[in-house]
Amino acid sequence: ADGEATFNQAKFDEVWPYLRVLARSSPDDKLTLAKGLNNSKVFEDKERCRMLKEVERIDIFPDRQVVAMTGDGTNDASALKNADVGFAMGI
């Protein structure tokens, strides 16, 4: 969209159940991840949750996901604030 970053929640919801650990992420990536998980409605799709559990052995929490985030400075403050659990390290 004319050089502006866009976020597609539906595409994000296709991918995030397969993510486990993200390392060396930028502050913007961390914020996108926290907001995307907080806004996700994957748990409402009971058939998909059943398939993920039976086929992929991936458990989806029945109400919403808990987001935990670490950060190493003030650049990560927004992501830490949007997470349910945020740890600031090295400050």
Side-chain angles (χ1 to χ4, degrees), residues 36-68:
L37 287 170
N38 284 330
N39 291 325
S40 178
K41 302 292 185 218
V42 169
F43 66 90
E44 292 178 350
D45 185 344
K46 301 304 180 195
E47 180 59 25
R48 179 159 186 232
C49 290
R50 185 191 63 72
M51 185 278 306
L52 284 168
K53 185 171 182 75
E54 290 179 6
V55 177
E56 306 285 348
R57 300 177 68 196
I58 297 172
D59 288 314
I60 303 296
F61 291 133
D63 48 7
R64 71 176 211 58
Q65 302 308 293
V66 175
V67 181

PDB file of all heavy atoms in Angstrom, residues 36-68:
ATOM      1  N   GLY A  36      -0.613  -9.077  17.064  1.00  0.00           N
ATOM      2  CA  GLY A  36      -1.257 -10.124  16.266  1.00  0.00           C
ATOM      3  C   GLY A  36      -1.800 -11.249  17.127  1.00  0.00           C
ATOM      4  O   GLY A  36      -2.908 -11.733  16.907  1.00  0.00           O
ATOM      5  N   LEU A  37      -1.028 -11.677  18.116  1.00  0.00           N
ATOM      6  CA  LEU A  37      -1.503 -12.735  19.018  1.00  0.00           C
ATOM      7  C   LEU A  37      -2.663 -12.251  19.875  1.00  0.00           C
ATOM      8  O   LEU A  37      -3.623 -12.983  20.108  1.00  0.00           O
ATOM      9  CB  LEU A  37      -0.360 -13.239  19.893  1.00  0.00           C
ATOM     10  CG  LEU A  37       0.672 -14.095  19.175  1.00  0.00           C
ATOM     11  CD1 LEU A  37       1.877 -14.332  20.071  1.00  0.00           C
ATOM     12  CD2 LEU A  37       0.062 -15.414  18.745  1.00  0.00           C
ATOM     13  N   ASN A  38      -2.583 -11.017  20.344  1.00  0.00           N
ATOM     14  CA  ASN A  38      -3.672 -10.479  21.166  1.00  0.00           C
ATOM     15  C   ASN A  38      -4.973 -10.338  20.381  1.00  0.00           C
ATOM     16  O   ASN A  38      -6.057 -10.474  20.949  1.00  0.00           O
ATOM     17  CB  ASN A  38      -3.278  -9.129  21.768  1.00  0.00           C
ATOM     18  CG  ASN A  38      -2.335  -9.273  22.929  1.00  0.00           C
ATOM     19  OD1 ASN A  38      -2.363 -10.264  23.644  1.00  0.00           O
ATOM     20  ND2 ASN A  38      -1.480  -8.291  23.124  1.00  0.00           N
ATOM     21  N   ASN A  39      -4.874 -10.091  19.079  1.00  0.00           N
ATOM     22  CA  ASN A  39      -6.075  -9.906  18.248  1.00  0.00           C
ATOM     23  C   ASN A  39      -6.533 -11.187  17.560  1.00  0.00           C
ATOM     24  O   ASN A  39      -7.564 -11.194  16.899  1.00  0.00           O
ATOM     25  CB  ASN A  39      -5.816  -8.828  17.194  1.00  0.00           C
ATOM     26  CG  ASN A  39      -5.679  -7.459  17.803  1.00  0.00           C
ATOM     27  OD1 ASN A  39      -6.346  -7.136  18.777  1.00  0.00           O
ATOM     28  ND2 ASN A  39      -4.796  -6.645  17.251  1.00  0.00           N
ATOM     29  N   SER A  40      -5.784 -12.260  17.720  1.00  0.00           N
ATOM     30  CA  SER A  40      -6.111 -13.508  17.038  1.00  0.00           C
ATOM     31  C   SER A  40      -7.396 -14.131  17.586  1.00  0.00           C
ATOM     32  O   SER A  40      -7.660 -14.112  18.780  1.00  0.00           O
ATOM     33  CB  SER A  40      -4.971 -14.510  17.209  1.00  0.00           C
ATOM     34  OG  SER A  40      -5.308 -15.726  16.584  1.00  0.00           O
ATOM     35  N   LYS A  41      -8.150 -14.706  16.681  1.00  0.00           N
ATOM     36  CA  LYS A  41      -9.383 -15.408  17.034  1.00  0.00           C
ATOM     37  C   LYS A  41      -9.319 -16.881  16.621  1.00  0.00           C
ATOM     38  O   LYS A  41     -10.344 -17.533  16.450  1.00  0.00           O
ATOM     39  CB  LYS A  41     -10.595 -14.744  16.370  1.00  0.00           C
ATOM     40  CG  LYS A  41     -10.780 -13.291  16.731  1.00  0.00           C
ATOM     41  CD  LYS A  41     -11.154 -13.109  18.176  1.00  0.00           C
ATOM     42  CE  LYS A  41     -11.454 -11.658  18.473  1.00  0.00           C
ATOM     43  NZ  LYS A  41     -10.980 -11.232  19.752  1.00  0.00           N
ATOM     44  N   VAL A  42      -8.113 -17.414  16.461  1.00  0.00           N
ATOM     45  CA  VAL A  42      -7.953 -18.816  16.066  1.00  0.00           C
ATOM     46  C   VAL A  42      -8.710 -19.726  17.022  1.00  0.00           C
ATOM     47  O   VAL A  42      -9.327 -20.706  16.605  1.00  0.00           O
ATOM     48  CB  VAL A  42      -6.456 -19.197  15.998  1.00  0.00           C
ATOM     49  CG1 VAL A  42      -6.286 -20.700  15.867  1.00  0.00           C
ATOM     50  CG2 VAL A  42      -5.787 -18.493  14.838  1.00  0.00           C
ATOM     51  N   PHE A  43      -8.698 -19.400  18.298  1.00  0.00           N
ATOM     52  CA  PHE A  43      -9.355 -20.246  19.295  1.00  0.00           C
ATOM     53  C   PHE A  43     -10.854 -20.400  19.051  1.00  0.00           C
ATOM     54  O   PHE A  43     -11.465 -21.345  19.535  1.00  0.00           O
ATOM     55  CB  PHE A  43      -9.107 -19.702  20.712  1.00  0.00           C
ATOM     56  CG  PHE A  43      -9.734 -18.361  20.972  1.00  0.00           C
ATOM     57  CD1 PHE A  43     -11.016 -18.264  21.466  1.00  0.00           C
ATOM     58  CD2 PHE A  43      -9.027 -17.192  20.732  1.00  0.00           C
ATOM     59  CE1 PHE A  43     -11.604 -17.034  21.720  1.00  0.00           C
ATOM     60  CE2 PHE A  43      -9.594 -15.951  20.986  1.00  0.00           C
ATOM     61  CZ  PHE A  43     -10.886 -15.866  21.471  1.00  0.00           C
ATOM     62  N   GLU A  44     -11.456 -19.495  18.287  1.00  0.00           N
ATOM     63  CA  GLU A  44     -12.884 -19.586  18.000  1.00  0.00           C
ATOM     64  C   GLU A  44     -13.197 -20.633  16.925  1.00  0.00           C
ATOM     65  O   GLU A  44     -14.334 -21.075  16.814  1.00  0.00           O
ATOM     66  CB  GLU A  44     -13.429 -18.228  17.566  1.00  0.00           C
ATOM     67  CG  GLU A  44     -13.429 -17.212  18.696  1.00  0.00           C
ATOM     68  CD  GLU A  44     -13.924 -15.855  18.257  1.00  0.00           C
ATOM     69  OE1 GLU A  44     -14.100 -15.615  17.039  1.00  0.00           O
ATOM     70  OE2 GLU A  44     -14.118 -15.003  19.142  1.00  0.00           O
ATOM     71  N   ASP A  45     -12.207 -21.005  16.134  1.00  0.00           N
ATOM     72  CA  ASP A  45     -12.387 -21.997  15.075  1.00  0.00           C
ATOM     73  C   ASP A  45     -12.117 -23.382  15.671  1.00  0.00           C
ATOM     74  O   ASP A  45     -10.993 -23.892  15.622  1.00  0.00           O
ATOM     75  CB  ASP A  45     -11.445 -21.694  13.910  1.00  0.00           C
ATOM     76  CG  ASP A  45     -11.655 -22.613  12.715  1.00  0.00           C
ATOM     77  OD1 ASP A  45     -12.315 -23.672  12.869  1.00  0.00           O
ATOM     78  OD2 ASP A  45     -11.132 -22.285  11.627  1.00  0.00           O
ATOM     79  N   LYS A  46     -13.136 -23.985  16.247  1.00  0.00           N
ATOM     80  CA  LYS A  46     -12.984 -25.251  16.972  1.00  0.00           C
ATOM     81  C   LYS A  46     -12.481 -26.381  16.074  1.00  0.00           C
ATOM     82  O   LYS A  46     -11.694 -27.217  16.502  1.00  0.00           O
ATOM     83  CB  LYS A  46     -14.303 -25.657  17.643  1.00  0.00           C
ATOM     84  CG  LYS A  46     -14.833 -24.627  18.626  1.00  0.00           C
ATOM     85  CD  LYS A  46     -13.811 -24.305  19.704  1.00  0.00           C
ATOM     86  CE  LYS A  46     -14.364 -23.268  20.671  1.00  0.00           C
ATOM     87  NZ  LYS A  46     -13.332 -22.679  21.504  1.00  0.00           N
ATOM     88  N   GLU A  47     -12.921 -26.411  14.823  1.00  0.00           N
ATOM     89  CA  GLU A  47     -12.463 -27.453  13.899  1.00  0.00           C
ATOM     90  C   GLU A  47     -10.968 -27.311  13.616  1.00  0.00           C
ATOM     91  O   GLU A  47     -10.233 -28.293  13.615  1.00  0.00           O
ATOM     92  CB  GLU A  47     -13.265 -27.403  12.591  1.00  0.00           C
ATOM     93  CG  GLU A  47     -12.849 -28.442  11.571  1.00  0.00           C
ATOM     94  CD  GLU A  47     -12.983 -29.884  12.058  1.00  0.00           C
ATOM     95  OE1 GLU A  47     -13.802 -30.151  12.954  1.00  0.00           O
ATOM     96  OE2 GLU A  47     -12.249 -30.744  11.535  1.00  0.00           O
ATOM     97  N   ARG A  48     -10.514 -26.090  13.388  1.00  0.00           N
ATOM     98  CA  ARG A  48      -9.078 -25.888  13.156  1.00  0.00           C
ATOM     99  C   ARG A  48      -8.277 -26.246  14.402  1.00  0.00           C
ATOM    100  O   ARG A  48      -7.214 -26.868  14.308  1.00  0.00           O
ATOM    101  CB  ARG A  48      -8.799 -24.443  12.749  1.00  0.00           C
ATOM    102  CG  ARG A  48      -7.319 -24.208  12.531  1.00  0.00           C
ATOM    103  CD  ARG A  48      -7.011 -23.023  11.684  1.00  0.00           C
ATOM    104  NE  ARG A  48      -5.585 -22.992  11.429  1.00  0.00           N
ATOM    105  CZ  ARG A  48      -4.822 -21.939  11.639  1.00  0.00           C
ATOM    106  NH1 ARG A  48      -5.337 -20.815  12.063  1.00  0.00           N
ATOM    107  NH2 ARG A  48      -3.527 -21.984  11.394  1.00  0.00           N
ATOM    108  N   CYS A  49      -8.763 -25.878  15.567  1.00  0.00           N
ATOM    109  CA  CYS A  49      -8.067 -26.215  16.819  1.00  0.00           C
ATOM    110  C   CYS A  49      -7.976 -27.730  16.995  1.00  0.00           C
ATOM    111  O   CYS A  49      -6.932 -28.248  17.414  1.00  0.00           O
ATOM    112  CB  CYS A  49      -8.769 -25.583  18.009  1.00  0.00           C
ATOM    113  SG  CYS A  49      -8.601 -23.788  18.075  1.00  0.00           S
ATOM    114  N   ARG A  50      -9.053 -28.422  16.657  1.00  0.00           N
ATOM    115  CA  ARG A  50      -9.047 -29.888  16.747  1.00  0.00           C
ATOM    116  C   ARG A  50      -8.018 -30.479  15.786  1.00  0.00           C
ATOM    117  O   ARG A  50      -7.233 -31.352  16.150  1.00  0.00           O
ATOM    118  CB  ARG A  50     -10.442 -30.443  16.443  1.00  0.00           C
ATOM    119  CG  ARG A  50     -10.560 -31.960  16.637  1.00  0.00           C
ATOM    120  CD  ARG A  50     -11.856 -32.516  16.081  1.00  0.00           C
ATOM    121  NE  ARG A  50     -11.980 -32.341  14.649  1.00  0.00           N
ATOM    122  CZ  ARG A  50     -11.273 -33.027  13.723  1.00  0.00           C
ATOM    123  NH1 ARG A  50     -10.394 -33.921  14.106  1.00  0.00           N
ATOM    124  NH2 ARG A  50     -11.458 -32.818  12.437  1.00  0.00           N
ATOM    125  N   MET A  51      -7.980 -29.975  14.544  1.00  0.00           N
ATOM    126  CA  MET A  51      -7.027 -30.462  13.559  1.00  0.00           C
ATOM    127  C   MET A  51      -5.591 -30.177  14.007  1.00  0.00           C
ATOM    128  O   MET A  51      -4.720 -31.041  13.904  1.00  0.00           O
ATOM    129  CB  MET A  51      -7.289 -29.808  12.196  1.00  0.00           C
ATOM    130  CG  MET A  51      -6.434 -30.338  11.054  1.00  0.00           C
ATOM    131  SD  MET A  51      -4.743 -29.670  10.880  1.00  0.00           S
ATOM    132  CE  MET A  51      -4.998 -27.934  10.813  1.00  0.00           C
ATOM    133  N   LEU A  52      -5.347 -28.986  14.493  1.00  0.00           N
ATOM    134  CA  LEU A  52      -3.996 -28.642  14.949  1.00  0.00           C
ATOM    135  C   LEU A  52      -3.554 -29.587  16.067  1.00  0.00           C
ATOM    136  O   LEU A  52      -2.412 -30.027  16.103  1.00  0.00           O
ATOM    137  CB  LEU A  52      -3.930 -27.188  15.415  1.00  0.00           C
ATOM    138  CG  LEU A  52      -3.901 -26.136  14.309  1.00  0.00           C
ATOM    139  CD1 LEU A  52      -4.131 -24.743  14.892  1.00  0.00           C
ATOM    140  CD2 LEU A  52      -2.589 -26.182  13.541  1.00  0.00           C
ATOM    141  N   LYS A  53      -4.472 -29.910  16.962  1.00  0.00           N
ATOM    142  CA  LYS A  53      -4.130 -30.791  18.071  1.00  0.00           C
ATOM    143  C   LYS A  53      -3.905 -32.229  17.610  1.00  0.00           C
ATOM    144  O   LYS A  53      -2.910 -32.858  17.971  1.00  0.00           O
ATOM    145  CB  LYS A  53      -5.211 -30.747  19.142  1.00  0.00           C
ATOM    146  CG  LYS A  53      -4.865 -31.558  20.383  1.00  0.00           C
ATOM    147  CD  LYS A  53      -5.853 -31.318  21.485  1.00  0.00           C
ATOM    148  CE  LYS A  53      -5.498 -32.068  22.731  1.00  0.00           C
ATOM    149  NZ  LYS A  53      -4.393 -31.486  23.473  1.00  0.00           N
ATOM    150  N   GLU A  54      -4.810 -32.753  16.794  1.00  0.00           N
ATOM    151  CA  GLU A  54      -4.731 -34.153  16.376  1.00  0.00           C
ATOM    152  C   GLU A  54      -3.623 -34.419  15.360  1.00  0.00           C
ATOM    153  O   GLU A  54      -2.929 -35.425  15.451  1.00  0.00           O
ATOM    154  CB  GLU A  54      -6.074 -34.605  15.806  1.00  0.00           C
ATOM    155  CG  GLU A  54      -7.158 -34.719  16.853  1.00  0.00           C
ATOM    156  CD  GLU A  54      -8.500 -35.139  16.270  1.00  0.00           C
ATOM    157  OE1 GLU A  54      -8.574 -35.449  15.061  1.00  0.00           O
ATOM    158  OE2 GLU A  54      -9.484 -35.150  17.034  1.00  0.00           O
ATOM    159  N   VAL A  55      -3.461 -33.530  14.402  1.00  0.00           N
ATOM    160  CA  VAL A  55      -2.514 -33.765  13.326  1.00  0.00           C
ATOM    161  C   VAL A  55      -1.126 -33.199  13.642  1.00  0.00           C
ATOM    162  O   VAL A  55      -0.118 -33.862  13.453  1.00  0.00           O
ATOM    163  CB  VAL A  55      -3.039 -33.168  11.997  1.00  0.00           C
ATOM    164  CG1 VAL A  55      -2.028 -33.335  10.883  1.00  0.00           C
ATOM    165  CG2 VAL A  55      -4.368 -33.815  11.614  1.00  0.00           C
ATOM    166  N   GLU A  56      -1.091 -31.980  14.140  1.00  0.00           N
ATOM    167  CA  GLU A  56       0.175 -31.288  14.361  1.00  0.00           C
ATOM    168  C   GLU A  56       0.664 -31.338  15.811  1.00  0.00           C
ATOM    169  O   GLU A  56       1.763 -30.890  16.107  1.00  0.00           O
ATOM    170  CB  GLU A  56       0.051 -29.817  13.935  1.00  0.00           C
ATOM    171  CG  GLU A  56      -0.434 -29.608  12.522  1.00  0.00           C
ATOM    172  CD  GLU A  56       0.621 -29.897  11.480  1.00  0.00           C
ATOM    173  OE1 GLU A  56       1.805 -30.055  11.829  1.00  0.00           O
ATOM    174  OE2 GLU A  56       0.260 -29.958  10.294  1.00  0.00           O
ATOM    175  N   ARG A  57      -0.214 -31.806  16.712  1.00  0.00           N
ATOM    176  CA  ARG A  57       0.089 -31.843  18.149  1.00  0.00           C
ATOM    177  C   ARG A  57       0.354 -30.434  18.712  1.00  0.00           C
ATOM    178  O   ARG A  57       1.239 -30.235  19.525  1.00  0.00           O
ATOM    179  CB  ARG A  57       1.260 -32.775  18.426  1.00  0.00           C
ATOM    180  CG  ARG A  57       0.963 -34.201  17.975  1.00  0.00           C
ATOM    181  CD  ARG A  57       2.095 -35.139  18.152  1.00  0.00           C
ATOM    182  NE  ARG A  57       2.327 -35.341  19.577  1.00  0.00           N
ATOM    183  CZ  ARG A  57       3.434 -35.873  20.060  1.00  0.00           C
ATOM    184  NH1 ARG A  57       4.389 -36.251  19.258  1.00  0.00           N
ATOM    185  NH2 ARG A  57       3.572 -36.042  21.347  1.00  0.00           N
ATOM    186  N   ILE A  58      -0.443 -29.469  18.220  1.00  0.00           N
ATOM    187  CA  ILE A  58      -0.338 -28.082  18.653  1.00  0.00           C
ATOM    188  C   ILE A  58      -1.580 -27.736  19.457  1.00  0.00           C
ATOM    189  O   ILE A  58      -2.695 -27.866  18.956  1.00  0.00           O
ATOM    190  CB  ILE A  58      -0.207 -27.126  17.448  1.00  0.00           C
ATOM    191  CG1 ILE A  58       1.089 -27.423  16.680  1.00  0.00           C
ATOM    192  CG2 ILE A  58      -0.270 -25.676  17.902  1.00  0.00           C
ATOM    193  CD1 ILE A  58       1.219 -26.673  15.376  1.00  0.00           C
ATOM    194  N   ASP A  59      -1.392 -27.316  20.697  1.00  0.00           N
ATOM    195  CA  ASP A  59      -2.510 -26.905  21.544  1.00  0.00           C
ATOM    196  C   ASP A  59      -2.758 -25.412  21.413  1.00  0.00           C
ATOM    197  O   ASP A  59      -1.813 -24.615  21.490  1.00  0.00           O
ATOM    198  CB  ASP A  59      -2.222 -27.226  23.016  1.00  0.00           C
ATOM    199  CG  ASP A  59      -2.288 -28.714  23.299  1.00  0.00           C
ATOM    200  OD1 ASP A  59      -3.252 -29.348  22.847  1.00  0.00           O
ATOM    201  OD2 ASP A  59      -1.381 -29.228  23.976  1.00  0.00           O
ATOM    202  N   ILE A  60      -4.008 -25.040  21.213  1.00  0.00           N
ATOM    203  CA  ILE A  60      -4.427 -23.640  21.180  1.00  0.00           C
ATOM    204  C   ILE A  60      -5.261 -23.404  22.430  1.00  0.00           C
ATOM    205  O   ILE A  60      -6.206 -24.155  22.704  1.00  0.00           O
ATOM    206  CB  ILE A  60      -5.272 -23.338  19.914  1.00  0.00           C
ATOM    207  CG1 ILE A  60      -4.502 -23.688  18.637  1.00  0.00           C
ATOM    208  CG2 ILE A  60      -5.738 -21.897  19.918  1.00  0.00           C
ATOM    209  CD1 ILE A  60      -3.260 -22.882  18.389  1.00  0.00           C
ATOM    210  N   PHE A  61      -4.917 -22.392  23.199  1.00  0.00           N
ATOM    211  CA  PHE A  61      -5.684 -22.093  24.404  1.00  0.00           C
ATOM    212  C   PHE A  61      -7.126 -21.808  24.032  1.00  0.00           C
ATOM    213  O   PHE A  61      -7.403 -21.220  22.985  1.00  0.00           O
ATOM    214  CB  PHE A  61      -5.099 -20.902  25.157  1.00  0.00           C
ATOM    215  CG  PHE A  61      -3.758 -21.178  25.789  1.00  0.00           C
ATOM    216  CD1 PHE A  61      -2.722 -20.287  25.639  1.00  0.00           C
ATOM    217  CD2 PHE A  61      -3.535 -22.319  26.533  1.00  0.00           C
ATOM    218  CE1 PHE A  61      -1.483 -20.522  26.218  1.00  0.00           C
ATOM    219  CE2 PHE A  61      -2.306 -22.571  27.117  1.00  0.00           C
ATOM    220  CZ  PHE A  61      -1.276 -21.665  26.956  1.00  0.00           C
ATOM    221  N   PRO A  62      -8.092 -22.200  24.888  1.00  0.00           N
ATOM    222  CA  PRO A  62      -9.507 -22.100  24.525  1.00  0.00           C
ATOM    223  C   PRO A  62     -10.089 -20.690  24.560  1.00  0.00           C
ATOM    224  O   PRO A  62     -11.211 -20.494  24.125  1.00  0.00           O
ATOM    225  CB  PRO A  62     -10.193 -22.985  25.574  1.00  0.00           C
ATOM    226  CG  PRO A  62      -9.269 -22.977  26.736  1.00  0.00           C
ATOM    227  CD  PRO A  62      -7.885 -22.892  26.157  1.00  0.00           C
ATOM    228  N   ASP A  63      -9.365 -19.705  25.061  1.00  0.00           N
ATOM    229  CA  ASP A  63      -9.918 -18.348  25.069  1.00  0.00           C
ATOM    230  C   ASP A  63      -9.045 -17.381  24.290  1.00  0.00           C
ATOM    231  O   ASP A  63      -9.496 -16.734  23.384  1.00  0.00           O
ATOM    232  CB  ASP A  63     -10.161 -17.847  26.494  1.00  0.00           C
ATOM    233  CG  ASP A  63      -8.975 -18.061  27.415  1.00  0.00           C
ATOM    234  OD1 ASP A  63      -7.901 -18.477  26.940  1.00  0.00           O
ATOM    235  OD2 ASP A  63      -9.129 -17.807  28.604  1.00  0.00           O
ATOM    236  N   ARG A  64      -7.788 -17.290  24.609  1.00  0.00           N
ATOM    237  CA  ARG A  64      -6.836 -16.491  23.841  1.00  0.00           C
ATOM    238  C   ARG A  64      -5.442 -16.889  24.259  1.00  0.00           C
ATOM    239  O   ARG A  64      -5.256 -17.543  25.272  1.00  0.00           O
ATOM    240  CB  ARG A  64      -7.063 -14.992  23.993  1.00  0.00           C
ATOM    241  CG  ARG A  64      -6.700 -14.403  25.339  1.00  0.00           C
ATOM    242  CD  ARG A  64      -6.898 -12.888  25.302  1.00  0.00           C
ATOM    243  NE  ARG A  64      -6.056 -12.066  26.115  1.00  0.00           N
ATOM    244  CZ  ARG A  64      -4.737 -11.966  26.138  1.00  0.00           C
ATOM    245  NH1 ARG A  64      -4.004 -12.714  25.356  1.00  0.00           N
ATOM    246  NH2 ARG A  64      -4.102 -11.142  26.917  1.00  0.00           N
ATOM    247  N   GLN A  65      -4.474 -16.499  23.475  1.00  0.00           N
ATOM    248  CA  GLN A  65      -3.097 -16.876  23.750  1.00  0.00           C
ATOM    249  C   GLN A  65      -2.482 -15.942  24.784  1.00  0.00           C
ATOM    250  O   GLN A  65      -2.840 -14.773  24.871  1.00  0.00           O
ATOM    251  CB  GLN A  65      -2.267 -16.843  22.465  1.00  0.00           C
ATOM    252  CG  GLN A  65      -2.799 -17.752  21.380  1.00  0.00           C
ATOM    253  CD  GLN A  65      -3.019 -19.167  21.856  1.00  0.00           C
ATOM    254  OE1 GLN A  65      -2.093 -19.879  22.182  1.00  0.00           O
ATOM    255  NE2 GLN A  65      -4.275 -19.590  21.912  1.00  0.00           N
ATOM    256  N   VAL A  66      -1.567 -16.465  25.560  1.00  0.00           N
ATOM    257  CA  VAL A  66      -0.808 -15.662  26.515  1.00  0.00           C
ATOM    258  C   VAL A  66       0.491 -15.281  25.820  1.00  0.00           C
ATOM    259  O   VAL A  66       1.201 -16.131  25.293  1.00  0.00           O
ATOM    260  CB  VAL A  66      -0.522 -16.452  27.810  1.00  0.00           C
ATOM    261  CG1 VAL A  66       0.369 -15.651  28.737  1.00  0.00           C
ATOM    262  CG2 VAL A  66      -1.825 -16.838  28.489  1.00  0.00           C
ATOM    263  N   VAL A  67       0.786 -13.991  25.821  1.00  0.00           N
ATOM    264  CA  VAL A  67       1.962 -13.479  25.125  1.00  0.00           C
ATOM    265  C   VAL A  67       3.025 -13.105  26.146  1.00  0.00           C
ATOM    266  O   VAL A  67       2.779 -12.298  27.039  1.00  0.00           O
ATOM    267  CB  VAL A  67       1.615 -12.241  24.272  1.00  0.00           C
ATOM    268  CG1 VAL A  67       2.838 -11.730  23.532  1.00  0.00           C
ATOM    269  CG2 VAL A  67       0.483 -12.551  23.310  1.00  0.00           C
ATOM    270  N   ALA A  68       4.203 -13.711  26.015  1.00  0.00           N
ATOM    271  CA  ALA A  68       5.354 -13.365  26.854  1.00  0.00           C
ATOM    272  C   ALA A  68       6.446 -12.825  25.947  1.00  0.00           C
ATOM    273  O   ALA A  68       6.670 -13.327  24.849  1.00  0.00           O
ATOM    274  CB  ALA A  68       5.854 -14.588  27.613  1.00  0.00           C
TER     275      ALA A  68
END
